[in-house]
């Protein structure tokens, strides 16, 4: 859960910055960054959202205490 949370949040930030760099053209199909940005949404939802991962991590931390 920790690895998935970190990786999906980081790739989300990177994709967002990529779109920012390209400006309005970042949403056009001509640039690969448009596809990356769209695919990141699926990564964040697949096998549990960020909030679900946080709940899993928190539950595990409380169990160890």
């Amino acid at each position: 859960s920790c690895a998935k949370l970190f990786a999906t949040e980081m790739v989300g930030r990177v994709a967002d910055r990529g779109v920012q760099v390209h400006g309005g053209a970042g949403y056009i199909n001509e640039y690969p960054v448009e596809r990356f940005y769209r695919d990141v949404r699926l990564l964040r939802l697949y096998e549990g959202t960020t909030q679900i991962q946080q709940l899993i991590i928190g539950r595990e931390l409380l169990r160890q205490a």
Side-chain angles (χ1 to χ4, degrees), residues 23-62:
Y27 287 108
I28 298 173
N29 286 338
E30 286 182 29
Y31 295 98
V33 71
E34 180 270 335
R35 192 186 82 235
F36 298 146
Y37 190 73
R38 189 182 59 226
D39 291 347
V40 163
R41 291 300 300 155
L42 293 176
L43 290 175
R44 285 182 167 173
L45 298 174
Y46 185 69
E47 292 186 12
T49 63
T50 297
Q51 291 76 19
I52 296 298
Q53 298 305 321
Q54 290 172 339
L55 288 172
I56 292 169
I57 293 165
R59 190 179 320 134
E60 189 61 33
L61 288 173
L62 289 174

